Amino acid sequence: MESSSLKNERTYIPYAITFLAGASYGLTTVVIGQPLDTIKTRMQGIATTSNASVTGATSMFRDLYGKEGIKGLYRGGLPLIIGGSLMRSAQFGVSAEAKGILDRCDIPSVKIFGIIDSSVLISGIAGGMGRALVEIPTDFFKIRRQVQSDLNTKLAVREIWKQSLDGSSVTMFRNSILFASFIVYIDLSKQLVSNGYVPSILCTDDLSGLSPFAKGAICSNLAWLTCWPLDVVKTQRQSGNFNESGKTGILQLLKSNYKSGVL
């Protein structure tokens, strides 16, 4: 007869694996992508202000690297490492649970526009909201570190409890669209693969969908393009550089960014 301690160990193993996978994701994201993310964040949070003197990606990189070196490019990486361990688990875990609830409750799925599965869309929105709950405070700290070189770390830690909710609504909105778009694009890609519209080199061996690399390269980038204007607004809200204008609402910033061409 199996002991209770062994059962408990087996119960926690999947959670441990998921957490380690998320931690690996967070670390890999920082090591490979943090320099580019720092440049992107500074372009969104600094270069769009009226007094910005450095606006292009190349000039932004040269300016930051010349002043602070490699350290400057990896500024704000620690919150992403910490948050990455939970963000990935939250978005996929909540999404899977939401899909399971819809299936168990026998809620009929509707094809929106004849191609988008409503249950996939709903579970994706839920997953994005789950990710946002983790990302709101960690991304706030990351962005503040990336756009403010003279940021007092101790002061930021004290203020994060008060200020981290600034931009929470747009973060929730962006993440809902981001993750919902991602899994909808994956679902659409499966339909395209099954109908023979996708080259076999981009598909899995059993032709059930896109290969992991193609899925990440195509579906992830399409999802980010879908929500990119909201990502710009999110960075602006959390950077703290747009509070003095008095126009910090989502629609106000979207209109302002559209007029200035920074979306």
Side-chain angles (χ1 to χ4, degrees):
M1 186 174 180
E2 191 174 38
S3 65
S4 59
S5 60
L6 184 58
K7 287 182 179 179
N8 290 334
E9 288 180 5
R10 291 184 177 180
T11 301
Y12 289 121
I13 285 176
Y15 294 100
I17 293 174
T18 301
F19 180 81
L20 290 175
S24 301
Y25 162 80
L27 180 61
T28 304
T29 300
V30 171
V31 172
I32 297 177
Q34 186 66 13
L36 291 176
D37 183 75
T38 299
I39 299 302
K40 177 205 74 123
T41 301
R42 290 176 69 84
M43 289 182 68
Q44 292 176 335
I46 296 178
T48 51
T49 58
S50 59
N51 60 348
S53 58
V54 182
T55 57
T58 303
S59 57
M60 185 75 73
F61 172 84
R62 290 175 178 172
D63 180 69
L64 183 59
Y65 182 77
K67 292 178 179 178
E68 302 182 35
I70 294 294
K71 183 180 178 181
L73 296 174
Y74 280 92
R75 188 195 300 166
L78 182 59
L80 187 57
I81 293 177
I82 297 173
S85 304
L86 301 173
M87 278 190 295
R88 186 176 178 84
S89 303
Q91 64 183 9
F92 286 104
V94 173
S95 176
E97 184 62 27
K99 185 67 165 62
I101 292 174
L102 293 174
D103 292 340
R104 289 193 298 272
C105 294
D106 294 325
I107 298 177
S109 179
V110 179
K111 286 288 185 179
I112 303 172
F113 304 121
I115 55 175
I116 300 175
D117 191 319
S118 61
S119 63
V120 171
L121 180 62
I122 293 172
S123 61
I125 292 173
M129 294 175 70
R131 166 177 169 158
L133 293 176
V134 178
E135 192 170 14
I136 287 170
T138 57
D139 232 35
F140 164 81
F141 198 15
K142 176 185 78 72
I143 288 173
R144 286 297 175 94
R145 288 291 298 149
Q146 287 175 320
V147 301
Q148 299 180 22
S149 59
D150 59 345
L151 180 65
N152 185 307
T153 304
K154 293 182 179 179
L155 180 62
V157 171
R158 289 198 305 268
E159 290 186 345
I160 193 171
W161 302 109
K162 297 180 181 178
Q163 298 184 18
S164 63
L165 292 180
D166 186 27
S168 58
S169 58
V170 68
T171 302
M172 191 74 71
F173 192 24
R174 184 210 69 168
N175 282 10
S176 297
I177 294 178
L178 172 63
F179 194 66
S181 299
F182 175 62
I183 65 172
V184 164
Y185 288 137
I186 290 177
D187 187 62
L188 292 177
S189 70
K190 291 179 180 178
Q191 299 178 41
L192 293 174
V193 170
S194 65
N195 289 319
Y197 294 123
V198 181
S200 58
I201 192 173
L202 298 177
C203 304
T204 57
D205 293 337
D206 60 358
L207 299 180
S208 62
L210 295 175
S211 66
F213 180 81
K215 187 187 300 180
I218 297 173
C219 297
S220 294
N221 283 314
L222 284 175
W224 273 109
L225 286 173
T226 302
C227 72
W228 192 258
L230 286 174
D231 185 69
V232 177
V233 171
K234 183 188 89 67
T235 300
Q236 291 174 335
R237 285 291 301 274
Q238 293 184 314
S239 69
N241 292 332
F242 293 79
N243 296 333
E244 295 180 359
S245 65
K247 298 180 179 180
T248 58
I250 297 176
L251 291 178
Q252 290 175 315
L253 287 172
L254 282 173
K255 289 178 181 178
S256 175
N257 292 339
Y258 177 77
K259 290 180 180 179
S260 60
V262 300
L263 282 179

